[in-house]
PDB file of all heavy atoms in Angstrom:
ATOM      1  N   VAL A 223     196.953 300.398 -46.216  1.00 96.00           N
ATOM      2  CA  VAL A 223     197.481 300.160 -44.894  1.00 96.00           C
ATOM      3  C   VAL A 223     197.369 298.711 -44.612  1.00 96.00           C
ATOM      4  O   VAL A 223     196.374 298.042 -44.951  1.00 96.00           O
ATOM      5  CB  VAL A 223     196.800 301.144 -43.855  1.00 96.00           C
ATOM      6  CG1 VAL A 223     195.240 300.702 -43.805  1.00 96.00           C
ATOM      7  CG2 VAL A 223     197.350 300.875 -42.475  1.00 96.00           C
ATOM      8  N   VAL A 224     198.325 298.201 -43.864  1.00 95.00           N
ATOM      9  CA  VAL A 224     198.272 296.739 -43.374  1.00 95.00           C
ATOM     10  C   VAL A 224     198.469 296.859 -41.899  1.00 95.00           C
ATOM     11  O   VAL A 224     199.593 297.282 -41.381  1.00 95.00           O
ATOM     12  CB  VAL A 224     199.371 295.913 -43.974  1.00 95.00           C
ATOM     13  CG1 VAL A 224     199.363 294.468 -43.393  1.00 95.00           C
ATOM     14  CG2 VAL A 224     199.231 295.808 -45.469  1.00 95.00           C
ATOM     15  N   PRO A 225     197.578 296.517 -41.036  1.00 96.00           N
ATOM     16  CA  PRO A 225     197.671 296.658 -39.531  1.00 96.00           C
ATOM     17  C   PRO A 225     198.263 295.441 -38.980  1.00 96.00           C
ATOM     18  O   PRO A 225     197.950 294.325 -39.459  1.00 96.00           O
ATOM     19  CB  PRO A 225     196.219 296.834 -39.042  1.00 96.00           C
ATOM     20  CG  PRO A 225     195.404 296.098 -40.037  1.00 96.00           C
ATOM     21  CD  PRO A 225     196.097 296.358 -41.423  1.00 96.00           C
ATOM     22  N   CYS A 226     199.182 295.560 -38.042  1.00 95.00           N
ATOM     23  CA  CYS A 226     199.805 294.374 -37.378  1.00 95.00           C
ATOM     24  C   CYS A 226     199.829 294.617 -35.887  1.00 95.00           C
ATOM     25  O   CYS A 226     199.782 295.681 -35.444  1.00 95.00           O
ATOM     26  CB  CYS A 226     201.297 294.271 -37.829  1.00 95.00           C
ATOM     27  SG  CYS A 226     201.365 293.908 -39.613  1.00 95.00           S
ATOM     28  N   SER A 227     199.767 293.451 -35.209  1.00 95.00           N
ATOM     29  CA  SER A 227     199.858 293.462 -33.738  1.00 95.00           C
ATOM     30  C   SER A 227     201.190 292.931 -33.308  1.00 95.00           C
ATOM     31  O   SER A 227     201.395 291.647 -33.520  1.00 95.00           O
ATOM     32  CB  SER A 227     198.657 292.732 -33.156  1.00 95.00           C
ATOM     33  OG  SER A 227     198.714 292.658 -31.771  1.00 95.00           O
ATOM     34  N   ILE A 228     202.049 293.732 -32.877  1.00 94.00           N
ATOM     35  CA  ILE A 228     203.479 293.385 -32.574  1.00 94.00           C
ATOM     36  C   ILE A 228     203.727 293.577 -31.115  1.00 94.00           C
ATOM     37  O   ILE A 228     203.488 294.781 -30.577  1.00 94.00           O
ATOM     38  CB  ILE A 228     204.450 293.970 -33.467  1.00 94.00           C
ATOM     39  CG1 ILE A 228     204.116 293.569 -34.938  1.00 94.00           C
ATOM     40  CG2 ILE A 228     205.850 293.676 -33.107  1.00 94.00           C
ATOM     41  CD1 ILE A 228     205.053 294.229 -35.935  1.00 94.00           C
ATOM     42  N   LYS A 229     204.348 292.720 -30.368  1.00 92.00           N
ATOM     43  CA  LYS A 229     204.711 292.922 -28.975  1.00 92.00           C
ATOM     44  C   LYS A 229     206.003 293.698 -28.942  1.00 92.00           C
ATOM     45  O   LYS A 229     207.084 293.222 -29.239  1.00 92.00           O
ATOM     46  CB  LYS A 229     204.868 291.541 -28.342  1.00 92.00           C
ATOM     47  CG  LYS A 229     205.248 291.511 -26.822  1.00 92.00           C
ATOM     48  CD  LYS A 229     203.911 292.103 -26.038  1.00 92.00           C
ATOM     49  CE  LYS A 229     204.257 292.014 -24.548  1.00 92.00           C
ATOM     50  NZ  LYS A 229     203.137 292.570 -23.653  1.00 92.00           N
ATOM     51  N   HIS A 230     205.805 294.886 -28.436  1.00 91.00           N
ATOM     52  CA  HIS A 230     206.927 295.762 -28.127  1.00 91.00           C
ATOM     53  C   HIS A 230     207.318 295.854 -26.652  1.00 91.00           C
ATOM     54  O   HIS A 230     206.399 295.734 -25.763  1.00 91.00           O
ATOM     55  CB  HIS A 230     206.667 297.206 -28.713  1.00 91.00           C
ATOM     56  CG  HIS A 230     206.612 297.354 -30.187  1.00 91.00           C
ATOM     57  ND1 HIS A 230     207.489 296.708 -30.989  1.00 91.00           N
ATOM     58  CD2 HIS A 230     205.746 298.029 -30.911  1.00 91.00           C
ATOM     59  CE1 HIS A 230     207.120 297.042 -32.274  1.00 91.00           C
ATOM     60  NE2 HIS A 230     206.114 297.832 -32.210  1.00 91.00           N
ATOM     61  N   ASN A 231     208.558 296.009 -26.355  1.00 88.00           N
ATOM     62  CA  ASN A 231     208.983 296.095 -24.933  1.00 88.00           C
ATOM     63  C   ASN A 231     209.019 297.552 -24.576  1.00 88.00           C
ATOM     64  O   ASN A 231     209.775 298.341 -25.146  1.00 88.00           O
ATOM     65  CB  ASN A 231     210.304 295.479 -24.751  1.00 88.00           C
ATOM     66  CG  ASN A 231     210.747 295.452 -23.354  1.00 88.00           C
ATOM     67  OD1 ASN A 231     210.118 296.009 -22.494  1.00 88.00           O
ATOM     68  ND2 ASN A 231     212.019 294.893 -23.024  1.00 88.00           N
ATOM     69  N   PRO A 232     208.131 297.973 -23.740  1.00 89.00           N
ATOM     70  CA  PRO A 232     208.059 299.476 -23.365  1.00 89.00           C
ATOM     71  C   PRO A 232     209.365 299.964 -22.853  1.00 89.00           C
ATOM     72  O   PRO A 232     209.701 301.138 -22.883  1.00 89.00           O
ATOM     73  CB  PRO A 232     206.935 299.469 -22.281  1.00 89.00           C
ATOM     74  CG  PRO A 232     206.127 298.260 -22.517  1.00 89.00           C
ATOM     75  CD  PRO A 232     207.087 297.237 -22.987  1.00 89.00           C
ATOM     76  N   ASP A 233     210.171 299.089 -22.157  1.00 87.00           N
ATOM     77  CA  ASP A 233     211.429 299.607 -21.632  1.00 87.00           C
ATOM     78  C   ASP A 233     212.466 299.968 -22.698  1.00 87.00           C
ATOM     79  O   ASP A 233     213.342 300.726 -22.459  1.00 87.00           O
ATOM     80  CB  ASP A 233     212.023 298.501 -20.750  1.00 87.00           C
ATOM     81  CG  ASP A 233     211.154 298.293 -19.527  1.00 87.00           C
ATOM     82  OD1 ASP A 233     210.430 299.145 -19.083  1.00 87.00           O
ATOM     83  OD2 ASP A 233     211.138 297.132 -19.050  1.00 87.00           O
ATOM     84  N   ASP A 234     212.272 299.434 -23.920  1.00 85.00           N
ATOM     85  CA  ASP A 234     213.284 299.734 -24.961  1.00 85.00           C
ATOM     86  C   ASP A 234     212.994 301.097 -25.526  1.00 85.00           C
ATOM     87  O   ASP A 234     213.933 301.599 -26.284  1.00 85.00           O
ATOM     88  CB  ASP A 234     213.029 298.779 -26.121  1.00 85.00           C
ATOM     89  CG  ASP A 234     213.459 297.298 -25.699  1.00 85.00           C
ATOM     90  OD1 ASP A 234     214.160 297.138 -24.719  1.00 85.00           O
ATOM     91  OD2 ASP A 234     213.115 296.344 -26.445  1.00 85.00           O
ATOM     92  N   VAL A 235     211.898 301.803 -25.295  1.00 88.00           N
ATOM     93  CA  VAL A 235     211.648 303.042 -25.909  1.00 88.00           C
ATOM     94  C   VAL A 235     211.569 304.238 -24.919  1.00 88.00           C
ATOM     95  O   VAL A 235     211.106 305.322 -25.265  1.00 88.00           O
ATOM     96  CB  VAL A 235     210.410 302.920 -26.708  1.00 88.00           C
ATOM     97  CG1 VAL A 235     210.416 301.954 -27.904  1.00 88.00           C
ATOM     98  CG2 VAL A 235     209.174 302.656 -25.800  1.00 88.00           C
TER      99      VAL A 235
END
Side-chain angles (χ1 to χ4, degrees):
V223 62
V224 177
C226 296
S227 177
I228 297 177
K229 183 67 174 178
H230 292 316
N231 188 352
D233 296 331
D234 292 343
V235 297

